[in-house]
Amino acid sequence: MNQAVNKLFGGLSGLVGFLLLAGLILIVLPGVLDGFRLNLVGKYLTYAFVAVSLVLCWGYGGILSLGQGIFFGLGGYCMAMFLKLEASSPANTAIQTTPGIPDFMDWNQITALPWFWKPFYSLPLTLIAIVALPTLFAWLISFALFKRRVGGVYFSIITQAIASILTILIVGQQGYTGGINGITDLRTLLGWDIRTDEAKWVLYFVTCALLLGVIVLSRLILTSKLGLLLVALRDQEDRVRFSGYDVANIKIFIFCVAAAISAIGGAMFTLQVGFMSPSFVGVVPSIELVIFAAVGGRYSLIGAVYGALLVNAAKTMFSESFPELWLYLMGGLFIAAVLLFPRGIAGLVERYGPPAMAAIGKRLPVPALRRGAPAVRSAK
Amino acid sequence: MTTNPSTASNTDFLLAIEDLTVSFDGFKAVNGLNLYVDREEIRVIIGPNGAGKTTVLDLICGKTRATSGSIRFHNRELTRLAEHEIVWAGVGRKFQNPAIYENLTVAENLVVSYPKGRSVFGSLGFRRDATVQTRVEEVAEAVFLQDRLDEPAGILSHGQKQWLEIGMLLIQEPELIMLDEPVAGMSVRERQQTGELLARICQGRSMLIIEHDMDFVRSIAHKVTVMHQGKILVEGSMDKVHDDPRVKEVYLGH
């Protein structure tokens, strides 16, 4: 029993933290928020998938990806393509020159559905693609780079460049992708209208359930030997290599897992918000996603969720009143997170919060603030 | 890249290095080196700074790739293997500065080094069962850290970190252990303990050690190799090496 709690939640305090989060998003928020606000929270929670994925690959693995928007976007686009095809039935698009294809294709003088759209007629294939395509793409990137021992800041810059390239590609191939506007006007999922309040309510809970599942799965990875290896190779990559591990494979694996998690978030985003566009793929959103993880605590799976929720709540509040100030505030927040609380909100809670909530990651190795000055909790 | 390692002859030595050369932009850090290490032998390499001692270890463990020559371990060519395959073949290497995982506990450092679950999915399915636990405790005791198992490795003293890294090698049960200045920065007492430790763990395995502390070398070495400018200057017992005028000139004379 104890062992199961350790493995799944990271010890008793981890279990408490997990239950608090579950209570908050499953009971408290749906209880106090109106439909519109709850839908916003649902949207924030889809970003939380990415924040959690960054805890895995950045916090633990030391792989800072500035391109998680790529995978969030790919997942979201896969979902959007399915919904768009359903919305573009010949009956719905009878006024087009070519009925039965998405409206933006018709506007761009495309007369037949491109081959790569065809699998998205099928929901099972779409669900597979949502996870498989971004994972495959992540594998290609990470295999090419990690096998050549490209790492650190170079890896970050390359992921950022790829995010930028993908945006340009999506915007440029307007006829196939919907261009800068993205894929809009999504209506139903197998005939079920996703635009109603009731549908949004259901989708919110699906998002919560998936997110909690992802957290448990991530915890399982982190409490395995692979989790220890991630921390080990973040600090001493050569030592891991000369202890008999193919370091690149470990990094590729965790990067692919992170991509898959981000993609699920992207797909849930599309379902709840009703469209997908390149503005969720590029450099700026990718960096924002990193900020969520940094503010929440990049060593804490649960902290990352709070990071995504709080930063986005703040963003919504401030941009409703002072839209032009938000970007500065966001920048300031990131600097503050790096300089003043490098372990994010989770680190602050662990340090100053009630002991029951302390050490959300107690069973897990909690990294030191600085190398050479480890955070010592019990040096007895 | 390597010239005909296949022509290297089979030997009875555990480690046979022949005609090994590595050139960095024309500078030959190791130049036509021949070195043979017996089973259960403790060999110490000494020599002035820049003699190429650490480079030899780098070449054996695959950190640096040879320009030419052959390194055979159990008559198996190492120069073509990836770093982790060399470890699997039975070669363990300790770095000069203690390379341990400061954010993990002592026990976790040893578990990470445990030679099972080395693939991605193997490590996901790896279970820290009683066998592993016993082995971790055994090794911790061997390196004098049995009371510190649950402490973060980052708070250990310098000497203890050195021991922990030796323990991380031991748990892999390599047949050849390579140590780069294992007693540097240790107190007299720690040096003595390390000497005893090494003498104890050399049973059933060989060691290749780089060290500057002559008293320490004398206490553990079966045979000493003196390197100078990428080549072997003298090789033999400590007394022979110590009395050699050439060694005095380049290394011990000051």
Side-chain angles (χ1 to χ4, degrees):
Chain A
M1 175 63 198
N2 261 341
Q3 218 171 6
V5 168
N6 264 341
K7 254 189 135 32
L8 293 173
F9 303 104
L12 196 59
S13 57
L15 178 63
V16 171
F18 182 83
L19 291 178
L20 282 176
L21 177 70
L24 177 75
I25 62 176
L26 290 174
I27 300 166
V28 177
L29 290 178
V32 299
L33 294 179
D34 59 45
F36 171 72
R37 293 279 168 189
L38 192 68
N39 183 231
L40 277 183
V41 173
K43 187 173 90 173
Y44 305 160
L45 286 177
T46 66
Y47 300 142
F49 283 83
V50 188
V52 167
S53 84
L54 281 164
V55 170
L56 290 180
C57 76
W58 178 37
Y60 281 82
I63 304 163
L64 173 56
S65 164
L66 292 179
Q68 282 311 90
I70 300 168
F71 311 116
F72 182 82
L74 283 177
Y77 264 99
C78 288
M79 192 74 239
M81 284 161 86
F82 174 81
L83 298 172
K84 188 65 187 170
L85 285 180
E86 192 173 308
S88 310
S89 66
N92 284 343
T93 53
I95 56 161
Q96 291 179 183
T97 319
T98 316
I101 62 170
D103 48 12
F104 60 83
M105 290 187 188
D106 197 55
W107 302 335
N108 286 281
Q109 287 83 44
I110 286 171
T111 52
L113 195 70
W115 61 269
F116 63 87
W117 271 76
K118 293 204 169 116
F120 293 95
Y121 273 121
S122 147
L123 183 63
L125 283 184
T126 302
L127 293 180
I128 292 170
I130 284 170
V131 176
L133 280 183
T135 307
L136 186 69
F137 193 47
W139 183 82
L140 282 174
I141 296 173
S142 56
F143 187 86
L145 294 177
F146 291 144
K147 285 287 180 188
R148 284 182 179 74
R149 311 252 165 107
V150 177
V153 69
Y154 301 100
F155 184 84
S156 308
I157 291 170
I158 291 170
T159 51
Q160 191 169 47
I162 295 171
S164 181
I165 291 167
L166 194 65
T167 318
I168 294 167
L169 191 74
I170 292 172
V171 173
Q173 298 299 312
Q174 188 162 240
Y176 300 112
T177 61
I180 189 89
N181 296 320
I183 300 178
T184 55
D185 196 19
L186 308 174
R187 298 170 195 176
T188 54
L189 176 75
L190 297 180
W192 177 57
D193 196 329
I194 57 170
R195 294 164 299 179
T196 63
D197 284 349
E198 190 197 279
K200 287 189 170 162
W201 178 266
V202 172
L203 287 170
Y204 173 83
F205 284 102
V206 173
T207 305
C208 291
L210 283 172
L211 181 62
L212 293 172
V214 159
I215 291 174
V216 171
L217 188 81
S218 303
R219 182 78 74 193
L220 269 177
I221 293 176
L222 292 182
T223 46
S224 73
K225 189 183 181 192
L226 191 109
L228 293 181
L229 278 166
L230 286 175
V231 177
L233 70 85
R234 184 192 63 205
D235 297 343
Q236 293 279 355
E237 185 166 324
D238 260 350
R239 183 63 269 170
V240 178
R241 181 170 290 130
F242 292 105
S243 298
Y245 297 94
D246 191 339
V247 168
N249 286 347
I250 300 169
K251 293 167 97 171
I252 292 168
F253 173 79
I254 203 68
F255 190 66
C256 287
V257 169
I261 292 173
S262 304
I264 297 171
M268 291 316 295
F269 175 91
T270 301
L271 279 170
Q272 291 184 90
V273 180
F275 77 101
M276 190 69 211
S277 88
S279 59
F280 300 102
V281 176
V283 172
V284 175
S286 294
I287 291 176
E288 276 189 291
L289 293 163
V290 170
I291 295 178
F292 304 156
V295 170
R298 62 177 153 132
Y299 305 118
S300 166
L301 294 167
I302 290 174
V305 177
Y306 287 109
L309 285 176
L310 290 172
V311 176
N312 279 292
K315 180 179 181 174
T316 306
M317 265 165 46
F318 276 94
S319 46
E320 277 169 6
S321 356
F322 320 98
E324 67 282 3
L325 280 182
W326 169 246
L327 266 182
Y328 294 98
L329 209 85
M330 181 93 151
L333 196 60
F334 188 48
I335 293 170
V338 171
L339 288 179
L340 302 176
F341 49 108
R343 284 163 59 196
I345 296 167
L348 293 178
V349 169
E350 188 183 328
R351 204 146 161 212
Y352 304 109
M357 282 181 61
I360 285 163
K362 197 167 192 171
R363 254 297 278 114
L364 293 168
V366 178
L369 295 178
R370 278 191 308 273
R371 199 170 280 183
V376 182
R377 280 188 306 276
S378 56
K380 276 162 250 159
Chain B
M1 108 195 158
T2 308
T3 51
N4 283 334
S6 53
T7 59
S9 49
N10 279 355
T11 63
D12 288 335
F13 294 106
L14 180 71
L15 181 75
I17 299 176
E18 291 177 345
D19 299 324
L20 188 67
T21 299
V22 66
S23 156
F24 301 119
D25 295 328
F27 168 70
K28 289 183 171 169
V30 173
N31 191 355
L33 184 87
N34 290 289
L35 182 75
Y36 301 91
V37 179
D38 260 327
R39 286 159 214 272
E40 305 205 13
E41 177 186 346
I42 299 186
R43 171 72 60 95
V44 180
I45 303 178
I46 60 172
N49 287 332
K53 306 180 298 288
T54 299
T55 310
V56 172
L57 297 199
D58 285 349
L59 285 162
I60 297 170
C61 73
K63 193 168 189 231
T64 304
R65 292 286 153 182
T67 311
S68 66
S70 116
I71 302 169
R72 300 198 135 213
F73 179 75
H74 275 303
N75 290 319
R76 185 171 169 207
E77 186 60 43
L78 294 187
T79 50
R80 294 191 210 122
L81 299 182
E83 292 97 327
H84 62 274
E85 292 169 325
I86 295 175
V87 178
W88 295 353
V91 178
R93 191 252 170 99
K94 188 195 154 317
F95 292 93
Q96 191 165 351
N97 295 316
I100 55 158
Y101 315 124
E102 305 218 329
N103 290 309
L104 300 180
T105 66
V106 171
E108 283 167 338
N109 268 272
L110 293 171
V111 169
V112 164
S113 312
Y114 191 83
K116 287 262 167 60
R118 275 172 162 167
S119 67
V120 166
F121 294 102
S123 66
L124 277 173
F126 179 83
R127 286 174 53 92
R128 220 171 131 173
D129 56 20
T131 323
V132 179
Q133 199 55 37
T134 315
R135 184 77 186 122
V136 165
E137 283 163 16
E138 255 172 43
V139 170
E141 195 169 350
V143 295
F144 321 111
L145 292 172
Q146 65 273 24
D147 300 328
R148 320 280 312 250
L149 276 170
D150 293 322
E151 289 174 32
I155 65 165
L156 297 178
S157 73
H158 179 79
Q160 289 170 326
K161 287 179 184 171
Q162 300 274 40
W163 287 339
L164 176 57
E165 200 182 352
I166 294 175
M168 287 156 70
L169 293 187
L170 270 186
I171 204 164
Q172 298 170 23
E173 306 199 18
E175 283 178 85
L176 174 67
I177 291 187
M178 303 193 291
L179 307 170
D180 201 342
E181 300 196 22
V183 297
M186 280 189 179
S187 67
V188 176
R189 163 124 183 83
E190 285 174 330
R191 280 170 197 233
Q192 193 194 339
Q193 280 180 291
T194 308
E196 288 162 11
L197 166 67
L198 295 186
R200 190 154 22 96
I201 62 179
C202 83
Q203 263 142 43
R205 56 174 64 92
S206 308
M207 288 197 215
L208 192 55
I209 302 172
I210 295 175
E211 192 45 72
H212 284 295
D213 181 326
M214 282 308 130
D215 294 332
F216 183 74
V217 174
R218 185 179 291 278
S219 71
I220 61 164
H222 298 165
K223 217 167 157 189
V224 177
T225 298
V226 186
M227 280 188 73
H228 182 52
Q229 295 180 343
K231 293 182 171 170
I232 290 178
L233 193 66
V234 187
E235 196 168 85
S237 68
M238 185 65 198
D239 290 330
K240 177 189 162 195
V241 165
H242 193 260
D243 296 336
D244 193 291
R246 288 170 299 171
V247 178
K248 284 207 165 110
E249 188 186 333
V250 304
Y251 184 54
L252 297 173
H254 44 261

